[in-house]
Amino acid sequence: GPLRLAQLGRERAPARKGRLALLLLLHAVDAVNLYDVVRRPPPRRSAPSFFEVPASNGTLVQVPKLIYATAHKRHRTAELVKKAFDAGFRGVDTAHGERKRYNESAVGEALVDGVFVQLKVHYTASSSGDAGRRCYAAARRGLDELGVARVGGLLLRGPSEEARQTSKLTDDDVAAWRALQRLVKEGRTDLIGVCNFPPPLLEELLRLDGPRCSLHQTRLRADRAFNGEDRALAEKHGVVLQAPGLVTTNAPALRRSSALSALAAKRGATPERTLLAFALRLGVVAVVGSASPKHVLDDLGAVELAASLSPSDIDGVLAAHPDRHKPDTRRGMRRGPKKRKRS
């Protein structure tokens, strides 16, 4: 038929014309590809979810920007930690010697490969002068409870009451710190740090020889200009600041801060996620532990949100929250303001 004849006609066309048509076709395809490359937006890259922290042996340790807190999870600890890992958390925080608040063995049940485990230990000063031995023993028991031989970070809860009053480390404080340094040398932890150390005591600790302090966990407060002095000291010495309980600690700011509310509305995010993202942009690790799947996902979204915040966004929030706090004494753990219920 006519169709078959037309096909035969094309098949018998001169080879030169066929090659010319092919070249024109390839040229057109190349032009389209070039247009796509010029107009196509660059591929979206996921925001990095870790801070890289130098260890004493020269290697870089990846500390997650968000660490899951396990305090007050009680019999649900293993369940909630597993769900947090499934959702995307890659770090977990626990403590030894506080049975009413932490369940280390349940945390150990939920551990998976490749996560950053952080263990806090504390000691009580006594006249026996064995703070170092007791701190070392507490850390080893904590590792046993977790069922691991090594963790990513060991933090010393403190300092002693005498050190807080005199602004000078005691022999017990130094001995407890030496115990953590010993654990680094034994390969039991990659990093060591402290909790709730006022700047003068942290500076004194940083002058000690041996494996250095890499982590400092303390509450970040809006009424203290988000701990400007702590942040400056951490940046000066390469210490990673960690903030537990950001949402509960700053409940008044979340209710009253027009700067945070405006930034949240501008970015289409919840105030809680905006606060976490703001802290991440300050270079602070957020230690958060919601039991709600909805809030866990909202918290994880802070990493991407932080990458989109501009310097003017950060400066605006800082300017709206000057330091209105009384001189810091940091006498142990603070409960903070009444817990704000998240919607």
Side-chain angles (χ1 to χ4, degrees):
L3 179 60
R4 177 60 184 161
L5 291 174
Q7 289 174 342
L8 289 173
R10 285 199 298 272
E11 291 169 1
R12 294 170 183 171
R16 184 173 59 83
K17 290 184 178 180
R19 286 196 297 271
L20 179 60
L22 180 60
L23 287 172
L24 289 173
L25 178 61
L26 291 174
H27 180 73
V29 172
D30 287 342
V32 171
N33 288 339
L34 179 61
Y35 178 80
D36 286 345
V37 169
V38 173
R39 294 294 300 271
R40 188 186 302 133
R44 182 176 179 182
R45 299 175 183 271
S46 296
S49 55
F50 298 89
F51 291 119
E52 290 190 330
V53 185
S56 58
N57 62 3
T59 61
L60 290 177
V61 180
Q62 289 189 325
V63 178
K65 293 181 177 180
L66 291 173
I67 294 178
Y68 191 71
T70 60
H72 304 297
K73 302 297 187 291
R74 300 182 182 275
H75 64 281
R76 297 190 65 197
T77 298
E79 169 204 348
L80 293 173
V81 172
K82 287 177 182 176
K83 288 182 177 180
F85 288 154
D86 290 342
F89 273 87
R90 285 298 171 264
V92 64
D93 175 272
T94 187
H96 177 70
E98 299 183 47
R99 294 284 186 184
K100 292 183 178 180
R101 300 179 68 229
Y102 293 94
N103 186 343
E104 296 151 273
S105 58
V107 172
E109 292 175 16
L111 292 182
V112 296
D113 292 338
V115 298
F116 181 86
V117 182
Q118 181 169 275
L119 174 65
K120 294 176 287 195
V121 296
H122 65 93
Y123 70 97
T124 303
S126 69
S127 58
S128 61
D130 61 349
R133 180 191 63 78
R134 288 184 286 112
C135 185
Y136 179 85
R140 292 301 301 266
R141 287 194 299 270
L143 293 172
D144 290 342
E145 288 280 350
L146 286 168
V148 299
R150 181 190 186 96
V151 290
L154 271 174
L155 302 185
L156 176 65
R157 300 284 289 272
S160 64
E161 188 64 28
E162 182 180 344
R164 293 190 183 99
Q165 293 175 354
T166 63
S167 294
K168 182 175 175 57
L169 295 177
T170 67
D171 291 342
D172 279 349
D173 292 309
V174 175
W177 179 249
R178 295 297 189 197
L180 264 60
Q181 290 180 318
R182 175 185 169 187
L183 289 158
V184 173
K185 296 173 182 177
E186 292 178 354
R188 299 295 181 179
T189 182
D190 295 316
L191 305 172
I192 51 176
V194 294
C195 301
N196 305 312
F197 268 53
L201 294 178
L202 182 56
E203 281 196 290
E204 185 180 350
L205 187 80
L206 287 164
R207 289 194 292 268
L208 298 177
D209 59 355
R212 64 190 304 277
C213 176
S214 301
L215 307 169
H216 180 207
Q217 187 176 115
T218 189
R219 292 189 179 272
L220 200 72
R221 301 177 64 97
D223 61 356
R224 296 184 60 238
F226 293 101
N227 300 51
E229 190 176 1
D230 288 316
R231 289 187 286 108
L233 182 61
E235 183 177 1
K236 176 182 176 182
H237 293 281
V239 175
V240 173
L241 203 62
Q242 298 183 353
L246 264 171
V247 172
T248 53
T249 299
N250 295 288
L254 287 172
R255 288 194 300 268
R256 305 167 190 162
S257 173
S258 58
L260 279 171
S261 298
L263 182 56
K266 174 183 174 183
R267 299 295 178 177
T270 63
E272 292 83 3
R273 186 197 299 185
T274 304
L275 175 63
L276 295 180
F278 167 76
L280 298 185
R281 276 301 303 269
L282 293 178
V284 177
V285 170
V287 183
V288 291
S290 177
S292 161
K294 174 184 174 182
H295 297 158
V296 166
L297 293 177
D298 191 54
D299 293 343
L300 288 167
V303 176
E304 292 289 346
L305 178 59
S308 71
L309 298 183
S310 67
S312 61
D313 292 331
I314 303 305
D315 292 342
V317 175
L318 287 174
H321 296 90
D323 193 344
R324 296 189 178 94
H325 202 256
K326 296 179 181 179
D328 184 22
T329 56
R330 302 195 192 181
R331 297 179 180 274
M333 297 298 295
R334 286 196 293 261
R335 295 179 64 91
K338 186 178 179 179
K339 194 169 183 178
R340 179 180 187 266
K341 186 176 181 180
R342 293 175 68 171
S343 57

